[in-house]
Amino acid sequence: MITAERKPLSEIRASIGPYKKVLMVGCGTCVAECAAGGEKEVALLASQLRLMAAKEGREIELKELTIDRQCIYEFIDQVTPVVDKYDVILSLGCGAGVQAMAEVLPKIHIIPALNTTGLAETKEQGLWLEDCRGCGDCKLDRFADVCPITRCAKSLFNGPCGGSKEGRCEVDPDTPCAWQAIVTRLEETGRLDSMDDIEPPANWAKTQGKGPRKIVREDQRT
Amino acid sequence: MGRPFFMVARMKDTNQSNENVAIFFCRQIDSDQDAHRRSLERERGSRIRFYPLPCTGRVEALHFLKALEAGANKVYLVMCPPGVCRYGQGNTRARKRLEYAKGLIREAGYSDECLEVVSAPGPLPVSIDGIARQLLDRAEVDLPVRPA
């Protein structure tokens, strides 16, 4: 899923600036799962903003609305009927959600309340771990399903750097060494021989340098 | 979730204090909590409101913020003593959520002293109104008065 973290309240406050009528739009999918932008987080942020406004002696009108997905136009249509009543939208969606809403709602300022951080798995309750950079050229099968691009601090393709100690990364000892995990899994699945294969450099042209990546499926299009 | 669901009314002008207290508490600590809290609510009027919880593990940071938003200037969370939670880790979780709520309060520019966790003295059961009286006696309200 896409993970995100809420921006500091001071930054959100500065972005809202003089606006008095704010439509807060949450997203009920990825950012709800990582407790950053779901219905509950929208309510928490709204409560904080109301308390802050009361302390500053300002008036603010906040409307809370959480849609299933901010990145799908059909869901954004739930925002369209009410948007005219507000000065600004404060989006608790990921970067894709904010931009999709901007596409559908061209006449209103949309402020992001989250910093989108990446693609992650829910490792345990309250812990989300990034494990995919969306490189566009997945080689997980060759690395025992452990992504060295994401999980190795040096993104090494051909074995460990030699700096890890007791299975921990030398860059961040809190992080397990990705190559330790790769070797362990290769052993457990009887594929340790594949360590002899040399992995060529990644084709980074698939992920950057050409603007936004695009997927076209003619069979899905109208 | 647009309107506050905790209605902590502001204290009547006849009372000299501007204190409004919200008390979230675990129902497990007082087997007769309903009668006990109602008697104190009748006595103290709208300056005190109780929110019984099946376990403090059910409390959320949003509950504390909503109570403050609705006019409380002191919010207590009264939980069972460490190690005796009927559901195992309810009081541990509640403490973490209160700490999280404190961070949100500070971020909004308020003192986090308006939120306080209180462990009920053992052995259980205890009387929630007895605990509440002690809290009211020592409550020092230092938050700015918010609009009703």
Side-chain angles (χ1 to χ4, degrees):
Chain A
M1 68 179 159
I2 296 165
T3 50
E5 290 178 296
R6 212 205 65 197
K7 287 177 178 287
L9 190 62
S10 55
E11 186 180 339
I12 294 170
R13 166 72 185 92
S15 299
I16 290 174
Y19 295 119
K20 289 184 177 175
K21 293 184 174 182
V22 181
L23 176 60
M24 300 177 66
V25 183
C27 179
T29 309
C30 307
V31 292
E33 168 62 25
C34 65
E39 188 174 4
K40 190 187 291 183
E41 290 74 34
V42 169
L44 276 171
L45 179 56
S47 188
Q48 274 188 295
L49 289 171
R50 277 192 288 265
L51 285 168
M52 193 180 228
K55 188 174 175 64
E56 294 170 355
R58 286 184 294 112
E59 284 189 10
I60 191 166
E61 181 184 332
L62 300 167
K63 166 74 175 173
E64 300 164 34
L65 175 64
T66 300
I67 60 179
D68 283 355
R69 289 177 207 164
Q70 275 189 32
C71 56
I72 307 282
Y73 289 177
E74 283 78 359
F75 293 106
I76 300 172
D77 284 345
Q78 295 169 41
V79 181
T80 309
V82 296
V83 74
D84 289 344
K85 299 172 188 168
Y86 298 93
D87 303 327
V88 68
I89 290 177
L90 183 60
S91 166
L92 280 83
C94 67
V98 172
Q99 293 178 70
M101 286 218 298
E103 193 74 26
V104 176
L105 309 165
K107 293 184 178 175
I108 189 162
H109 184 186
I110 302 174
I111 296 169
L114 305 184
N115 290 323
T116 306
T117 54
L119 299 171
E121 63 172 299
T122 304
K123 194 72 178 171
E124 57 189 62
Q125 196 168 343
L127 174 62
W128 296 274
L129 188 69
E130 182 187 20
D131 49 16
C132 179
R133 292 272 164 87
C135 70
D137 189 18
C138 189
K139 302 175 192 297
L140 277 171
D141 63 316
R142 286 176 237 172
F143 299 109
D145 308 313
V146 176
C147 177
I149 294 174
T150 314
R151 293 171 61 178
C152 171
K154 301 171 187 176
S155 296
L156 296 179
F157 271 11
N158 288 289
C161 65
S164 65
K165 291 176 185 167
E166 297 174 349
R168 317 300 293 182
C169 176
E170 71 169 347
V171 175
D172 177 7
D174 288 338
T175 304
C177 170
W179 271 99
Q180 176 79 45
I182 291 169
V183 171
T184 301
R185 236 180 106 72
L186 285 174
E187 276 181 333
E188 287 175 349
T189 54
R191 294 182 291 156
L192 198 56
D193 291 351
S194 67
M195 283 286 290
D196 294 336
D197 300 337
I198 300 297
E199 184 63 33
N203 179 7
W204 297 110
K206 291 184 177 179
T207 183
Q208 56 195 10
K210 294 179 180 173
R213 287 173 283 176
K214 187 164 58 178
I215 299 169
V216 180
R217 278 275 302 271
E218 288 300 338
D219 62 308
Q220 299 282 317
R221 307 187 84 187
T222 52
Chain B
M1 303 189 74
R3 292 185 58 198
F5 49 85
F6 292 111
M7 301 306 292
V8 182
R10 298 202 63 74
M11 196 191 58
K12 293 170 186 171
D13 291 339
T14 50
N15 196 319
Q16 293 305 303
S17 169
N18 69 344
E19 182 183 296
N20 283 306
V21 175
I23 299 178
F24 294 86
F25 70 98
C26 172
R27 282 198 311 230
Q28 311 298 331
I29 66 172
D30 183 353
S31 53
D32 201 15
Q33 59 85 19
D34 203 40
H36 288 155
R37 68 181 172 87
R38 285 183 194 281
S39 70
L40 192 57
E41 281 174 340
R42 277 196 297 273
E43 183 185 318
R44 301 281 180 135
S46 58
R47 64 180 292 197
I48 183 168
R49 294 301 297 264
F50 288 96
Y51 300 101
L53 300 158
C55 169
T56 49
R58 299 295 298 168
V59 81
E60 296 279 354
L62 184 60
H63 295 149
F64 302 123
L65 267 67
K66 289 285 188 183
L68 292 169
E69 216 184 303
N73 38 26
K74 188 80 182 184
V75 179
Y76 293 102
L77 175 65
V78 181
M79 57 174 58
C80 48
V84 301
C85 175
R86 180 174 177 177
Y87 301 107
Q89 297 187 345
N91 49 12
T92 307
R93 290 177 181 158
R95 195 178 288 272
K96 287 181 182 176
R97 288 175 196 155
L98 186 118
E99 290 303 319
Y100 180 64
K102 280 187 171 184
L104 298 177
I105 295 294
R106 284 194 299 271
E107 203 180 18
Y110 292 85
S111 164
D112 63 12
E113 290 176 5
C114 61
L115 301 182
E116 188 175 333
V117 63
V118 178
S119 277
L124 299 179
V126 293
S127 165
I128 185 61
D129 62 325
I131 294 173
R133 282 177 205 282
Q134 290 176 20
L135 295 176
L136 285 171
D137 288 344
R138 69 175 175 80
E140 290 179 6
V141 179
D142 55 1
L143 282 176
V145 176
R146 285 182 289 282

